[in-house]
Amino acid sequence: RIGVVHSISVSNGSASRRTFRLHVVTPAESSGIGNSLFYDCPLAPGGALRDLTERRLMPGDSIRGMASAADSVSVSVHVTEMAVP
């Protein structure tokens, strides 16, 4: 089974500019520029971003992220699971 990412939404709930990183990582990888979806991407105070790019996650893959401040950047990922013939 694989995961199909349909959308990623990121929002900044603070009154200050924030940055964030998101990565799709295989079990053998670390987060880095080479597997980043967003790297030091800026979000304005109260700002939001929505990415509608469809991506596939293979078994064991994960989405990892970090932000410039805790408790201010929220991430929502819409994923469905598909059987692979």
Side-chain angles (χ1 to χ4, degrees):
R1 298 182 89 57
I2 62 168
V4 179
V5 176
H6 299 283
S7 66
I8 299 172
S9 299
V10 184
S11 61
N12 177 6
S14 79
S16 299
R17 180 182 176 276
R18 302 290 185 218
T19 60
F20 71 95
R21 297 176 183 181
L22 285 178
H23 306 264
V24 173
V25 182
T26 67
E29 290 181 307
S30 307
S31 300
I33 292 175
N35 56 20
S36 64
L37 303 175
F38 300 97
Y39 197 87
D40 291 344
C41 184
L43 280 175
L49 172 145
R50 186 156 189 216
D51 179 18
L52 299 175
T53 305
E54 189 172 282
R55 296 177 172 87
R56 299 194 184 271
L57 299 176
M58 302 311 292
D61 288 356
S62 61
I63 296 177
R64 295 183 188 165
M66 69 183 232
S68 59
D71 298 331
S72 60
V73 176
S74 300
V75 178
S76 298
V77 181
H78 176 232
V79 181
T80 55
E81 189 176 35
M82 286 180 55
V84 178

